[in-house]
Amino acid sequence: MKLAAFVIAGVAAFLVLPAIADDPPIALTLKDHKFTPAVIHVRANAPSQILLNNEDSSSEEFDSSALHVEKVVPGGQKGIVRLRPLPPGRYNFMGEFHSDTAEGVVVAE
Amino acid sequence: MLASLLIVFREVIEAGLIVGIVLAATKGVAGRARWVSLGIAAGVLGAALVAAFAGKIAGLFQGSGQEIFDASVLLLAVAMLTWHNVWMAGHGRAMAREMKQVGAQVSSGERPMTALAVVVGIAVLREGSEVVLFLYGIASQGSTSTAALLGGGALGVAGGAIVTALMYYGLLAVPAHRLFSVTAGLITLLAAGMAAQAILFLQQGGYFEFLTSTVWDTSWLLKQDSIVGRLLHTLVGYNDSPNGAQVLVYAATIIAIVLLTRIERARHPRLAPAPKTA
């Protein structure tokens, strides 16, 4: 009984606790509603993280249907965007609130 | 103007579809207009609050506050939708029969409207907070005139309201005795889609990071960010490239709701027709 409880707790902890990412986050800056760098390279088929630094005063939503990410980063704050393991390819993303200028692409290779 | 029109329209449509389904699912319930209005009003207020404290919320849970918040309200909505369907499984048959006999003027006073009012509130809150953040951002830049901003916003809301009406009256075209079966089915898929979205938010926040690889990709057939794709995403949780955990959660939610409603229905055996006294 105790053993079962330990196993369940262990599995739960494994599932719930934040996983430690293999690679350090890739820095991405938003300023004047433009992303720098606008092209981000990640390893294909491996999880990756982007650390978005919003240097504008207004909120922005990192939005990508291809990456399945919607992440609001308030003005002057930073936010982690976690990417699933991606097959090789190009994945567009944008700042939804300023989609005419805030554009970028993740290249998995 | 165009930007604010489009973004408001998009978000209002998504909330509007859910309000339309709720209205159809509660046809014949006394006081439902009050409950739904209350849900919308609470949602708008909540959206403004969430937008105002977006910075604070985002900073919680080691930067995953927004994801945890989104996932929590989605899961609350899933619970409320499940409760509604289970309740209807016990009481819906009698209601449908009454409606068929007497028309739409039947009400069941004890019917819980709170569950669906909460769902309406959550739908408005989620979509509305994005609208508020967006409009606030534009307004603070001063690049767009207030009139254009308000005009775009108002047009967007009007467009979304039209979609709500279309959804509602479209569902009412369903024969009365089938209406609750149809809305129950829609609500089940709505709940499954929300649950799948919730697990995605949790994974974005760094939790439950298992089965994160894409299982299939139907973006060649229907892109999720197209208009139809967005509508289907809201209604049935369409995802053009779901990951394994999402598929699992989607299926598990449907199975759970179907099982719970079966159990509840078994507890309320079909009422026999009035016995004929011999």
Side-chain angles (χ1 to χ4, degrees):
Chain A
M1 201 60 202
K2 261 189 184 163
L3 182 68
F6 269 119
V7 170
I8 290 169
V11 170
F14 170 75
L15 292 177
V16 170
L17 289 178
I20 297 152
D22 309 335
D23 298 334
I26 300 155
L28 176 67
T29 301
L30 181 74
K31 191 164 172 53
D32 300 325
H33 313 302
K34 286 192 187 104
F35 287 115
T36 318
V39 181
I40 294 172
H41 296 271
V42 300
R43 276 195 299 141
N45 301 315
S48 46
Q49 296 189 352
I50 294 170
L51 179 61
L52 173 56
N53 184 6
N54 184 358
E55 292 189 356
D56 287 331
S57 57
S58 59
S59 297
E60 188 54 271
E61 181 176 274
F62 181 103
D63 184 300
S64 169
S65 59
L67 295 167
H68 294 286
V69 172
E70 290 174 72
K71 168 87 177 174
V72 174
V73 181
Q77 292 199 17
K78 294 179 183 180
I80 291 269
V81 177
R82 291 178 178 81
L83 305 181
R84 62 173 73 175
L86 298 167
R90 295 171 68 84
Y91 303 84
N92 291 315
F93 64 86
M94 62 167 179
E96 194 185 12
F97 299 159
H98 304 89
S99 54
D100 45 345
T101 54
E103 288 178 307
V105 59
V106 170
V107 180
E109 58 203 351
Chain B
M1 170 91 181
L2 190 64
S4 57
L5 173 64
L6 279 180
I7 201 161
V8 175
F9 183 58
R10 203 158 65 201
E11 305 295 337
V12 176
I13 279 184
E14 295 181 16
L17 288 173
I18 293 170
V19 176
I21 292 176
V22 165
L23 282 173
T26 55
K27 186 171 161 50
V29 175
R32 64 173 181 149
R34 198 181 64 235
W35 278 106
V36 171
S37 309
L38 202 66
I40 293 176
V44 170
L45 185 69
L49 283 175
V50 168
F53 294 105
K56 290 260 187 290
I57 294 172
L60 301 172
F61 298 100
Q62 295 153 347
S64 297
Q66 181 219 333
E67 287 86 348
I68 300 279
F69 178 80
D70 275 323
S72 305
V73 294
L74 278 170
L75 291 176
L76 177 62
V78 170
M80 293 292 129
L81 292 169
T82 305
W83 179 27
H84 171 83
N85 264 15
V86 170
W87 193 93
M88 284 297 283
H91 303 74
R93 195 145 37 198
M95 284 179 57
R97 192 169 46 232
E98 281 174 55
M99 273 182 65
K100 197 177 168 190
Q101 287 164 356
V102 205
Q105 291 308 310
V106 179
S107 65
S108 166
E110 91 273 36
R111 180 132 171 249
M113 266 306 291
T114 39
L116 289 183
V118 169
V119 171
V120 166
I122 287 173
V124 173
L125 179 147
R126 288 198 63 236
E127 310 301 342
S129 60
E130 258 182 56
V131 171
V132 174
L133 278 178
F134 166 73
L135 293 181
Y136 180 76
I138 290 192
S140 64
Q141 283 158 31
S143 54
T144 314
S145 78
T146 313
L149 199 68
L150 290 177
L155 274 175
V157 169
I162 290 171
V163 172
T164 306
L166 285 176
M167 185 81 215
Y168 176 60
Y169 287 108
L171 280 173
L172 289 199
V174 173
H177 63 286
R178 297 279 307 149
L179 178 62
F180 292 146
S181 315
V182 171
T183 53
L186 282 174
I187 283 176
T188 303
L189 295 176
L190 194 65
M194 285 179 170
Q197 187 68 25
I199 189 77
L200 191 61
F201 274 120
L202 288 172
Q203 291 178 331
Q204 273 184 36
Y207 302 87
F208 296 98
E209 291 194 297
F210 62 99
L211 301 176
T212 55
S213 294
T214 300
V215 185
W216 63 70
D217 189 337
T218 52
S219 57
W220 55 273
L221 184 66
L222 178 59
K223 280 199 180 297
Q224 195 178 324
D225 55 356
S226 65
I227 295 172
V228 176
R230 275 177 180 274
L231 292 182
L232 285 178
H233 174 70
T234 305
L235 283 177
V236 301
Y238 174 73
N239 187 316
D240 62 17
S241 45
N243 70 32
Q246 285 187 284
V247 175
L248 199 69
V249 168
Y250 189 89
T253 306
I254 292 179
I255 292 169
I257 293 179
V258 168
L259 279 181
L260 286 171
T261 50
R262 289 245 166 114
I263 292 169
E264 181 68 8
R265 196 168 294 149
R267 287 182 51 223
H268 296 259
R270 183 189 286 267
L271 291 172
K276 286 186 182 114
T277 43

